[in-house]
Amino acid sequence: MNADKTFTILDKEQLIPGQTSKLVVSAPQIALKAKPGNFVILRIAEKGERIPLTIADTDPEAGTITMVYLVMGKSTAMLDELDKGDEILDLCGPLGKPTHISTEAGTVVCVGGGTGVAAMHHIAKGHHRAGNKVVAVIGARSKDLLLFERELGQFCDKVLIATNDGSAGVQGFVTGVLQDYLENESDIGEVVAVGPVPMMAAVAETTRPFEVKTTVSLNSIMLDGIGMCGACRVTVAGDTRFACVDGPEFDGHEVDFTELSNRLAAFKTMEQAAHDHYCKCKCDD
Amino acid sequence: MTEPIKKKKKPLAPRVPMPNQPPAERVKNFEEVALGYTYELAVNEARRCLQCKKPLCVKGCPVEVPIPQFIAHLAEGNVGLAYETIKTTNSLPAICGRVCPQENQCEGACILNKKDQPIAIGRLERFAADQYVHIDACDLLTGRRDCVPVDPSKRVACIGSGPSSLTVAGYLSSRGVKVTVFEALHEVGGVLVYGIPEFRLPKDRIVAKEISALGLQEVEFVTNSVGGKTFSIQDLFDRGYQAVFIGVGAGLPKFLNIPGENQNGVYTSNEYLTRVNLGRAYDFPNYDTPVIRAKNVTVYGGGNVAMDAARTALRLGAESVRVVYRRTVADMPARREEIEHAEEEGVIMETLAAPLAFSGDDRFNLTSVKLQRMELGEPDASGRRSPVPVEGATYELDTDLAIIAVGTRANPLLISNEPELKLNDWGYVQVDEKTGETSIPNVFAGGDIVTGAATVILAMGAGRRASKCIAKRLGCEREGD
């Protein structure tokens, strides 16, 4: 039972130049066990912090997992400096509860925003494989920033698009598209939303009057990712739950999104300091 | 018949005090507080030992260290033999000498404890271990007799790399078993690494050394590997392991369940200590893991973990640190020494107080806590006087960092993925008390995942118990096992 000892980057693709990239990493053990909804925790350098990333796809036969990240702070900036052939220092997983996938869900509407589309992609694929009809709703500011449109098109029954500038699909937000779909279609078994907190909160409010089961995948701050520290705690239906072991998926109608976005801001100044320190150190080199 | 003439007893010398870093100095650094005995101090202390024929101290030790024997060697100045004697039953003496609650165990049982100060067994163990911690376990006194050749056909897996698993690894590998230890985090050592602060247990100098000594006994360590997630127990048997030891710790933190608890600035002790110890957040931004450095810190709980968190906060520059506890200092479950060290360093014991609610600013940051004044009422069933609220006596304290250290629950990660594993009424793994075997044959468990949050040495005792049974099954026990 030797777990993977090296995690080599086999492929890297810039999805949105300078902002979002996709990595295919060799991790046979994780690839074998990972299911839609799972995430990993990785560390890039000896002095690095542990950061969670959702698994966007797996290939158990090739022994690889795919991850998509947005360059935001120091750690993701460091990750972005790695290239094909480089190794990720630590990669731990698969973590979190897998998505609950019923084979009789009917139509599952998967809504994705930002890098959340990557996680949504894996969940949508799981539903498709289970024989459910999958409709994807993806959004971005403009056409060039849309992620996974082609991949989703390969197995989704429909891919509905919303862009802020109208350069692709409908002009507006994913919630507008979702609202239309909910009003016009009747066989919707479940709505899944992954993306920025305001988007997930808006999706939950959009579906609430329709009483459609709505699952959200939460991106709370994590440290160990194995249920030890409680940093990732979220209030769901009035109870404190841990995104890392009880989630990351919860009933969107029960999540306290205000608390979640407040908690996500906890380290903002320190993250900025770390990023500035990193940039300064790089300049000094 | 005439009474035999009683020999006049020599008055016993006082217990040799431990040299410590001065409080004013040590609050500014993460260096070890207790500096350790010198050779002279150790020999003097060892000579106080009465060498009882029926030593009670050994009975007080969960891993049955031959205490009088090792102390006799020290009294004669033979440190090497003393260390070797300790090592026959304890694979982590430099750690135990530092973090064991000796006052409740060996030293608590010491016959001298009845009328006088007990022998400083822990300090002596630490002294002997420290003299040899730089020497590889197998090379000790060149004999290499502890390192028997490993038989690759005898394989045992340990899940978790804390003190219980390390004990299993030490015991079984010294009997020729190939042991693999799986750890979920990126560093090996479990609570010794993420939980216990550097100033009480140095990571590189002590923990890493004891672990690398196990490496020389061909123990294999696999990090980033989560039991119940990366692999299942069945996967381990499928891969040829003949027995599995579960030592995953307790995990899931408990909360106070009061309003405002999820605000920024309220940490669990696990989060706080993991950020600082495992993530080296004290060296942010050189290390990337951040931690809140606050002015007024309040810590909730009265155990060793609460003391560790409070003393860590002082070292990170807090102006005031208060340990809030419902009862009195005398009732605190922490080791006396830790409480004394904390008080010397300036930690305020805010006793007979219970938290009611946390308040924060409009940016969700913690600013204050409302406390309820308590008093001790009638003794409860356990004979302990239970704290009761003093009516109307509430007060408010400024606090921008609150650390909750009120214990843990069973971590669901492994156990929820192993439905065959029977749990006890408290949700911990149920084991046969004599062997540590679980409801799954050849799967053993020990440490906090069985007992709930307890001590390093109790976890090691459980590891030792399971090891004996596993060794017997694999036919590799030694004489005297």
Side-chain angles (χ1 to χ4, degrees):
Chain A
M1 185 65 222
N2 282 335
D4 314 329
K5 296 214 167 142
T6 53
F7 307 102
T8 311
I9 298 172
L10 301 179
D11 200 12
K12 180 179 177 180
E13 188 189 336
Q14 285 213 326
L15 300 179
I16 303 169
Q19 196 222 58
T20 305
S21 293
K22 182 174 102 174
L23 295 179
V24 179
V25 180
S26 165
Q29 286 292 332
I30 301 176
L32 202 65
K33 295 277 178 179
K35 295 201 170 75
N38 284 145
F39 64 93
V40 291
I41 292 234
L42 54 85
R43 212 168 62 111
I44 300 139
E46 276 304 332
K47 294 183 175 183
E49 62 182 328
R50 298 168 61 86
I51 56 167
L53 280 183
T54 315
I55 299 170
D57 207 353
T58 62
D59 186 338
E61 273 158 33
T64 62
I65 63 168
T66 301
M67 294 175 290
V68 173
Y69 59 89
L70 172 70
V71 180
M72 267 173 74
K74 179 182 174 183
S75 297
T76 39
M78 284 171 73
L79 182 61
D80 207 40
E81 281 184 8
L82 300 183
D83 221 327
K84 204 168 152 174
D86 290 338
E87 271 170 26
I88 291 173
L89 182 63
D90 295 297
L91 188 60
C92 173
L95 298 170
K97 280 192 179 158
T99 305
H100 176 73
I101 294 176
S102 147
T103 51
E104 292 156 3
T107 301
V108 181
V109 181
C110 295
V111 188
T115 40
V117 181
M120 181 275 261
H121 163 262
H122 201 206
I123 297 169
K125 205 169 165 183
H127 277 292
H128 165 71
R129 286 194 172 151
N132 298 318
K133 186 179 162 192
V134 179
V135 172
V137 181
I138 55 173
R141 266 181 294 136
S142 74
K143 189 176 185 299
D144 301 336
L145 304 176
L146 282 172
L147 298 176
F148 280 81
E149 184 187 347
R150 190 174 46 81
E151 287 87 342
L152 288 164
Q154 286 165 7
F155 59 83
C156 290
D157 295 84
K158 271 183 205 161
V159 179
L160 306 174
I161 294 169
T163 50
N164 298 14
D165 62 2
S167 53
V170 177
Q171 183 175 8
F173 295 109
V174 286
T175 40
V177 175
L178 178 65
Q179 175 87 25
D180 278 352
Y181 194 85
L182 288 164
E183 279 167 4
N184 296 310
E185 305 288 334
S186 57
D187 64 333
I188 303 162
E190 185 178 350
V191 172
V192 177
V194 195
V197 174
M199 186 211 91
M200 291 191 286
V203 167
E205 285 322 305
T206 305
T207 59
R208 198 187 296 274
F210 295 89
E211 294 179 2
V212 175
K213 181 183 171 192
T214 302
T215 304
V216 291
S217 179
L218 305 183
N219 55 331
S220 40
I221 290 175
M222 283 182 194
L223 180 58
D224 57 77
I226 53 173
M228 239 172 52
C229 79
C232 66
R233 61 195 191 270
V234 286
T235 300
V236 182
D239 292 330
T240 293
R241 308 286 297 278
F242 293 173
C244 72
V245 290
D246 301 321
E249 290 173 17
F250 295 101
D251 181 342
H253 294 148
E254 308 271 20
V255 171
D256 182 341
F257 286 107
T258 311
E259 182 186 276
L260 176 63
S261 48
N262 282 329
R263 286 188 66 80
L264 282 169
F267 291 108
K268 240 181 190 155
T269 32
M270 273 180 264
E271 274 161 13
Q272 192 59 47
H275 193 247
D276 294 350
H277 180 79
Y278 175 63
C279 296
K280 189 174 162 289
C281 291
K282 270 209 310 191
C283 296
D284 291 348
D285 277 349
Chain B
M1 219 162 80
T2 52
E3 289 264 315
I5 301 160
K6 276 189 188 161
K7 258 205 271 179
K8 233 188 186 172
K9 275 191 196 157
K10 254 203 313 196
L12 192 73
R15 183 172 152 117
V16 177
M18 175 64 110
N20 287 323
Q21 250 201 94
E25 284 291 314
R26 69 192 193 223
V27 290
K28 292 184 219 145
N29 65 54
F30 276 86
E31 302 295 315
E32 207 172 0
V33 166
L35 300 170
Y37 278 165
T38 58
Y39 175 85
E40 272 207 312
L41 295 176
V43 172
N44 286 342
E45 178 62 22
R47 286 185 179 151
R48 292 175 67 235
C49 177
L50 301 181
Q51 291 293 317
C52 306
K53 288 229 167 60
K54 287 182 186 162
L56 299 173
C57 51
V58 182
K59 288 205 177 104
C61 173
V63 297
E64 307 158 290
V65 169
I67 294 166
Q69 289 86 334
F70 100 74
I71 293 181
H73 291 311
L74 275 184
E76 285 161 14
N78 196 334
V79 188
L81 263 181
Y83 178 65
E84 207 178 350
T85 307
I86 299 168
K87 271 291 219 182
T88 57
T89 72
N90 186 349
S91 20
L92 311 167
I95 293 170
C96 289
R98 287 172 165 80
V99 303
C100 271
Q102 288 102 5
E103 64 209 44
N104 304 327
Q105 292 173 330
C106 52
E107 295 178 17
C110 173
I111 193 84
L112 290 178
N113 197 28
K114 291 208 169 127
K115 285 192 175 152
D116 212 317
Q117 295 166 302
I119 299 295
I121 301 166
R123 295 171 184 175
L124 292 177
E125 180 181 38
R126 169 183 160 154
F127 169 77
D130 280 6
Q131 305 311 302
Y132 286 88
V133 79
H134 62 289
I135 291 184
D136 302 333
C138 313
D139 286 347
L140 178 66
L141 310 176
T142 65
R144 291 196 77 91
R145 57 201 230 194
D146 274 335
C147 285
V148 297
V150 166
D151 173 356
S153 73
K154 291 179 174 157
R155 297 173 71 202
V156 171
C158 296
I159 309 177
S161 68
S164 65
S165 283
L166 293 180
T167 301
V168 173
Y171 188 102
L172 291 176
S173 63
S174 72
R175 283 146 180 87
V177 178
K178 175 74 193 167
V179 181
T180 309
V181 178
F182 296 95
E183 167 58 46
L185 295 173
H186 58 263
E187 226 174 288
V188 174
V191 71
L192 305 172
V193 167
Y194 73 75
I196 302 178
E198 188 73 17
F199 54 81
R200 216 147 67 77
L201 185 64
K203 307 280 164 277
D204 290 342
R205 195 161 55 81
I206 302 299
V207 182
K209 286 286 179 195
E210 300 243 43
I211 289 169
S212 77
L214 291 174
L216 292 162
Q217 288 174 219
E218 292 185 44
V219 174
E220 181 190 22
F221 292 98
V222 180
T223 51
N224 297 308
S225 209
V226 193
K229 289 285 176 187
T230 319
F231 61 88
S232 66
I233 290 174
Q234 189 55 50
D235 287 338
L236 295 174
F237 286 119
D238 291 347
R239 299 284 175 118
Y241 291 101
Q242 287 127 317
V244 174
F245 178 80
I246 301 170
V248 295
L252 224 60
K254 279 187 192 162
F255 287 90
L256 300 167
N257 300 314
I258 61 172
E261 202 163 27
N262 288 345
Q263 288 176 105
N264 294 329
V266 184
Y267 281 145
T268 66
S269 52
N270 268 359
E271 177 175 0
Y272 189 64
L273 293 172
T274 303
R275 284 184 183 280
V276 178
N277 298 331
L278 182 75
R280 275 82 168 165
Y282 55 82
D283 200 7
F284 180 88
N286 281 323
Y287 281 79
D288 296 343
T289 306
V291 71
I292 294 175
R293 288 178 184 243
K295 238 195 242 174
N296 301 305
V297 179
T298 48
V299 182
Y300 302 82
N304 289 324
V305 179
M307 298 307 143
D308 286 346
R311 297 169 68 197
T312 298
L314 273 183
R315 284 161 174 75
L316 289 177
E319 285 171 14
S320 84
V321 178
R322 289 181 145 80
V323 170
V324 178
Y325 188 61
R326 293 189 306 158
R327 302 171 193 254
T328 67
V329 170
D331 298 308
M332 286 182 175
R335 285 177 72 194
R336 285 305 104 188
E337 191 175 299
E338 307 309 332
I339 296 171
E340 281 161 22
H341 282 169
E343 285 182 322
E344 285 167 15
E345 289 166 11
V347 172
I348 300 158
M349 299 299 164
E350 190 76 25
T351 50
L352 293 167
L356 291 175
F358 292 116
S359 311
D361 60 19
D362 54 359
R363 285 155 62 199
F364 206 64
N365 292 323
L366 177 71
T367 54
S368 69
V369 60
K370 189 179 177 190
L371 299 171
Q372 167 71 55
R373 190 48 76 203
M374 308 294 281
E375 62 188 354
L376 291 183
E378 293 302 306
D380 61 12
S382 69
R384 246 176 138 197
R385 292 177 64 194
S386 36
V388 285
V390 180
E391 215 180 308
T394 63
Y395 61 111
E396 196 120 347
L397 278 181
D398 281 349
T399 183
D400 46 356
L401 175 61
I403 304 164
I404 301 167
V406 294
T408 51
R409 293 177 284 145
N411 189 318
L413 212 64
L414 176 79
I415 53 187
S416 68
N417 288 296
E418 297 289 350
E420 303 277 290
L421 209 56
K422 274 211 183 99
L423 306 181
N424 64 23
D425 294 345
W426 300 273
Y428 294 102
V429 176
Q430 188 181 313
V431 297
D432 178 326
E433 268 178 39
K434 283 206 184 86
T435 61
E437 192 165 18
T438 68
S439 55
I440 308 176
N442 296 318
V443 175
F444 297 76
D448 288 1
I449 194 61
V450 170
T451 56
T455 60
V456 167
I457 191 70
L458 284 175
M460 292 179 61
R464 188 171 162 77
R465 229 166 10 251
S467 302
K468 283 183 178 177
C469 184
I470 297 171
K472 207 172 263 178
R473 292 217 186 139
L474 296 180
C476 55
E477 72 261 52
R478 279 197 225 145
E479 246 175 78
D481 274 1

